[in-house]
Structures are given as C-alpha cells and as structure tokens.
Amino acid sequence: MPISRDSGDPIHVEIILEGDDSDGALTELRKWLRSDEDLVGVRVDPVGATARPEHMSGGLVEALVATVTDPGLLGALFAGVGGWAAARASTRRTRIRVKIGDREVEMEGPALRDPEGVARRLRTELGEAP
C-alpha cells in the first residue's frame, strides 16, 4: 500500500542490523545517512537496547529510526541504505531489516551487494509514495 503524500504525519522507518558488530554498524550507517545531502531534513536517531536483568546497560544501539516528514524523501533514504549496505556487504556479514508500521523487509548476503536492488526492493515492499 503506497504511503500518502497528504497524510501530514511523519513516517518512522526503523532500521535493524544483525551480524558482525551490529552496534558499530548502526553507528556507521547513521553517520552515512546524516552525511547524505539528499536526506537533509530526515532525522536519524539511535534506539538504545533494552537492558536485560542479567546484563548491565552498555549504551548499545539496537536500531535506528529515520523520521521522514516528506514521503518523497523515502526513495533517497532507501538509496542511502542500499549504498551503505553494498559498501559493507563486500567485507562483512550483515542482515538488514527495515520496517514501516507493520510492513517489514529483511535482506542479507549477496542481495546487499546491489545498492539499486536494495533500494528498489525497499520501495516496492514498503510502499514508497509514487
């Protein structure tokens, strides 16, 4: 289902990484997205991991949440995630889950080496506004 340009509500895109050094990878991805000139106006915030009783909270990042106020910027966000994933996938094992509401896309392995393919799949399955 496409996201309406007329809703006026911000779109919250949750990005979860699993694999080698996922906490550091989320920090890298946040820097990558924040430095992307096409994403000016998109807030990218870390979400801290919930401390479990048997573990002390170490300030680990569990996910990123990108807040998009202009649905037209979703394509740029997805392209940014795809570019970062392709750069990382050549050297490290990574699994990416991207969620908007109850819709979710999960990718890993060779699929991440194609930045355009990653962006296209996110647009198709998460319903970027036309």
Side-chain angles (χ1 to χ4, degrees):
M1 175 168 107
I3 296 168
S4 169
R5 288 184 184 270
D6 301 325
S7 73
D9 294 330
I11 301 162
H12 300 285
V13 181
E14 185 175 4
I15 304 165
I16 302 160
L17 303 178
E18 298 170 0
D20 299 339
D21 183 27
S22 59
D23 185 53
L26 282 165
T27 300
E28 286 175 15
L29 176 56
R30 183 174 188 233
K31 287 179 186 175
W32 179 286
L33 294 174
R34 291 182 62 159
S35 68
D36 188 331
E37 293 177 4
D38 291 335
L39 296 176
V40 171
V42 174
R43 253 186 38 218
V44 181
D45 298 309
V47 176
T50 305
R52 289 178 247 150
E54 67 274 10
H55 295 94
M56 291 179 55
S57 173
L60 294 178
V61 177
E62 182 174 274
L64 296 177
V65 173
T67 303
V68 180
T69 55
D70 176 356
L73 291 175
L74 280 175
L77 176 63
F78 296 156
V81 170
W84 177 85
R88 181 174 168 84
S90 63
T91 60
R92 294 195 166 142
R93 184 184 70 81
T94 303
R95 176 181 303 158
I96 297 177
R97 288 188 301 147
V98 180
K99 297 167 58 173
I100 297 177
D102 61 353
R103 292 168 291 155
E104 180 176 327
V105 174
E106 184 172 318
M107 293 176 276
E108 66 181 312
L112 296 177
R113 293 189 183 125
D114 174 13
E116 291 85 13
V118 169
R120 185 173 40 257
R121 182 165 173 207
L122 291 172
R123 280 193 310 269
T124 300
E125 295 188 30
L126 294 178
E128 177 191 10

